[in-house]
Amino acid sequence: MNASAVVGSGRLSQLQSTLFCSASLLALLPGPQAMSGGRRIFLRAASVLCYAIAAFSKETSGGFLLVIVVYLAWTERSSGLGWVKRTALVIAPYLFVEAVYFALRIPTGAMPPAKVYFLQANLIRNLGLIVASAITPVSSVITATAFHRRNLPMLLVIAALSALTAAIVIVGIGKSDRSRMGLLLLFLAAVGLAPVIPLQHVSELYSNGAMPFLALLFGVGVGAFLEDRRWRTQAGA
């Protein structure tokens, strides 16, 4: 079996799922108050369609379903039971897509969740691996190879670059007035990763579900850092 073909196929399905999950969420961003009746129906239908493509691309799209549920529950909020009913109706098509996906997946002989998900030490290990892959500016393969070969200079360089990346983002967000946005993006990234953290094994590919939010988080942090006049003055000097 061609290992590169397997890796390429897995990466493609992950990226395709992330792309259409992002499109599904973007179709909802105008908010119900900003959309007329016809436009609202069209965008909602487009959102559900994009999510269906994402779900059938990779099952880890379930993390984005949680993000969509949180977003719709927030935008549809109001007082009284009408809010609960209206939110349930809006969320129902996405839940239906997930139900159809798993109904079609079970007869294929796929492993049941009990053999895939574990609530043990793998939670901490997986979380650490995904966080490391998010802030490490090199491939996890390079890092793992350096670790197994005990290449200390390479490991020190990777650690320094990772620490510098994290520091720039944290300092940048701290200097800006977007700290709440940063916390929100971090929360959404965690929600998007929820379905993959309990898996028995993960790789850097599984962090793709959080990448849209982490990319915005990095953009906010690095952008604020670069916009700082003192930094620009020192860099110019």
Side-chain angles (χ1 to χ4, degrees):
M1 183 178 291
N2 191 327
S4 62
V6 174
V7 173
S9 176
R11 184 179 296 274
L12 178 61
S13 63
Q14 288 279 0
L15 292 176
Q16 183 171 295
S17 176
T18 302
L19 173 64
F20 282 97
C21 278
S22 301
S24 177
L25 185 59
L26 286 173
L28 298 174
L29 289 185
Q33 295 80 11
M35 295 188 285
S36 60
R39 184 166 180 259
R40 182 178 183 180
I41 294 173
F42 172 78
L43 289 176
R44 287 285 168 84
S47 176
V48 174
L49 176 61
C50 287
Y51 183 76
I53 297 174
F56 281 85
S57 298
K58 196 69 176 177
E59 61 274 12
T60 51
S61 61
F64 256 89
L65 176 60
L66 298 177
V67 173
I68 290 172
V69 168
V70 170
Y71 176 78
L72 290 175
W74 175 259
T75 56
E76 296 285 344
R77 71 189 185 283
S78 62
S79 58
L81 292 177
W83 165 69
V84 178
K85 294 179 180 179
R86 187 167 59 253
T87 303
L89 287 174
V90 173
I91 294 172
Y94 301 94
L95 298 179
F96 177 75
V97 168
E98 282 292 316
V100 171
Y101 169 76
F102 280 103
L104 295 175
R105 187 175 187 268
I106 292 174
T108 63
M111 287 191 297
K115 295 185 178 181
V116 178
Y117 290 98
F118 295 87
L119 300 178
Q120 299 175 7
N122 61 306
L123 297 176
I124 299 175
R125 181 197 63 204
N126 292 348
L127 184 61
L129 287 173
I130 289 177
V131 170
S133 68
I135 65 173
T136 303
V138 298
S139 170
S140 61
V141 175
I142 296 176
T143 305
T145 301
F147 179 80
H148 287 294
R149 292 181 178 178
R150 298 181 181 180
N151 189 339
L152 185 58
M154 176 64 74
L155 290 175
L156 290 176
V157 170
I158 293 173
L161 290 175
S162 302
L164 178 62
T165 301
I168 290 176
V169 174
I170 294 172
V171 172
I173 292 176
K175 287 178 174 293
S176 71
D177 57 352
R178 305 184 183 98
S179 57
R180 290 186 179 180
M181 180 186 295
L183 291 175
L184 174 61
L185 291 171
L186 195 60
F187 170 75
L188 293 177
V191 171
L193 289 172
V196 304
I197 296 299
L199 290 175
Q200 186 175 8
H201 300 289
V202 298
S203 69
E204 64 183 2
L205 294 179
Y206 288 93
S207 64
N208 286 334
M211 281 305 168
F213 309 111
L214 292 178
L216 290 172
L217 181 68
F218 277 47
V220 170
V222 174
F225 193 85
L226 295 176
E227 289 173 358
D228 188 287
R229 292 183 178 180
R230 291 174 296 178
W231 185 90
R232 286 189 295 177
T233 301
Q234 294 173 1

